[in-house]
Amino acid sequence: MNDPDTVLPADDNNFQDFKKMCESVDGWSECYNKKNVCVSTSLQSNSNLKLLKAVTSFNDCSAATIFDVVHDTEYRRKWDHDMIDMKEVCKLCVNNTVSYYAAKCPPPVKPRDVVFLSSWIAYPNMRDPKEYLMINRSVSHVDFSPRNSMVRAISIVTGYLIRPTGPNSCEFTYLTHFDPRGSLPKWVVNKVAQFFTPKVIHRIHKAARKYEVWKRKHNASYKPWLWPEQCRLPLCKPGQLSARFDEVEIIDETGLKDENGTNGDDPADVSDDEI
């Protein structure tokens, strides 16, 4: 019997369960639908946090390019302007790696960080993929304890389902069940669903349109998410990882005022200059 604290690689059951959530249609409430991005939320019986799903399609980017963009840490520094830091830490196996990510939040909300296991697969295989899946979930690592300057968030499950619809087009589904922790008011969490997620989707799209040109000039042949022999990460050592979430002090952020936070901006209005 497995120790519940043991971090195991994702298996086919994990990937199929994630795909079923992405494909499910019952129990979802639409909260945003504009410029080809539909965002919905679903109440969860075992949590007061909503599951969030964003669905879109791209008619000018291949599924392979989108898969590269969500993996490429160096390129992420170009388009993810909320990112403070990201480090790839270690690997469980060729398609399961542990990373650290920290991001800015609108003041006066404190920045959030997360340590997560990232797992990915292509079905039926990488040579002839009919769909790509990538799922992340929080873990803890002895070398990445919570910091006083950050709030340690929890990714219960976050990921992508990417399906090619042509040589240069694809369907893209983003799904997340995420706990920002702290004591954020409900209106803040709601804004994540209605405002922040569409903005991220459009940033990924704009970044993907520029990726191939950028990649040709930046270690073009290096794609360890496709070619496992290129992965330079060390294997995780016994005792380094735990499936138990880090304990953190509850930080009071309930004094925040709702001033609509978006200044009337449309989440889809992301200029090319931002990438």
Side-chain angles (χ1 to χ4, degrees):
M1 191 170 179
N2 291 325
D3 184 336
D5 284 352
T6 300
V7 176
L8 298 174
D11 58 21
D12 277 337
N13 289 333
N14 298 129
F15 287 114
Q16 293 306 313
D17 287 345
F18 178 79
K19 186 165 74 168
K20 287 177 183 177
M21 287 192 289
C22 289
E23 295 174 333
S24 64
V25 294
D26 295 332
W28 293 93
S29 298
E30 185 179 295
C31 61
Y32 178 94
N33 193 339
K34 195 173 182 181
K35 295 188 178 181
N36 198 37
V37 176
C38 180
V39 179
S40 304
T41 59
S42 176
L43 296 172
Q44 302 299 290
S45 60
N46 61 346
S47 173
N48 60 358
L49 298 165
K50 292 180 180 179
L51 186 65
L52 181 148
K53 176 167 64 174
V55 180
T56 190
S57 60
F58 304 133
N59 62 10
D60 54 359
C61 296
S62 69
T65 297
I66 298 295
F67 189 63
D68 287 346
V69 168
V70 298
H71 268 284
D72 198 321
T73 302
E74 289 308 309
Y75 189 55
R76 190 174 190 117
R77 301 181 197 281
K78 294 283 292 180
W79 63 265
D80 185 352
H81 302 293
D82 296 310
M83 183 172 74
I84 296 172
D85 191 17
M86 186 169 185
K87 294 184 177 74
E88 294 175 292
V89 180
C90 58
K91 64 182 178 184
L92 283 179
C93 59
V94 294
N95 66 329
N96 284 260
T97 61
V98 175
S99 297
Y100 169 83
Y101 176 82
K104 296 178 289 187
C105 294
V109 179
K110 294 193 78 169
R112 261 54 183 179
D113 67 356
V114 62
V115 179
F116 60 93
L117 174 68
S118 180
S119 311
W120 63 92
I121 198 166
Y123 288 112
N125 55 61
M126 282 291 186
R127 284 188 293 273
D128 185 28
K130 301 294 189 259
E131 59 187 17
Y132 299 92
L133 291 98
M134 180 179 182
I135 54 178
N136 301 333
R137 60 183 174 89
S138 279
V139 296
S140 57
H141 189 288
V142 293
D143 293 336
F144 289 85
S145 300
R147 300 157 57 183
N148 291 334
S149 58
M150 305 270 182
V151 176
R152 178 60 50 87
I154 298 172
S155 173
I156 300 167
V157 62
T158 297
Y160 311 96
L161 170 62
I162 310 165
R163 287 184 172 135
T165 56
N168 199 41
S169 61
C170 65
E171 296 174 347
F172 181 80
T173 301
Y174 167 73
L175 185 140
T176 184
H177 196 198
F178 188 81
D179 183 358
R181 290 173 124 179
S183 55
L184 290 172
K186 288 183 179 180
W187 65 262
V188 174
V189 179
N190 288 337
K191 274 189 168 47
V192 170
Q194 298 178 33
F195 182 79
F196 182 73
T197 298
K199 198 175 186 76
V200 171
I201 297 295
H202 286 284
R203 279 183 175 171
I204 290 173
H205 184 201
K206 287 179 181 287
R209 294 196 307 224
K210 297 184 176 184
Y211 180 70
E212 291 186 13
V213 172
W214 179 89
K215 188 61 176 174
R216 282 198 292 267
K217 301 175 182 178
H218 298 83
N219 210 353
S221 62
Y222 181 67
K223 295 184 178 181
W225 53 93
L226 299 180
W227 319 117
E229 64 275 10
Q230 295 180 344
C231 184
R232 303 162 186 164
L233 294 175
L235 282 169
C236 302
K237 296 177 182 178
Q240 280 188 319
L241 297 179
S242 171
R244 191 183 300 274
F245 300 139
D246 289 306
E247 296 293 329
V248 296
E249 179 184 355
I250 299 299
I251 296 170
D252 185 8
E253 295 167 295
T254 56
L256 298 173
K257 296 180 180 179
D258 184 0
E259 297 176 352
N260 295 322
T262 65
N263 297 320
D265 294 338
D266 186 327
D269 293 334
V270 181
S271 73
D272 286 337
D273 292 339
E274 293 184 53
I275 298 171

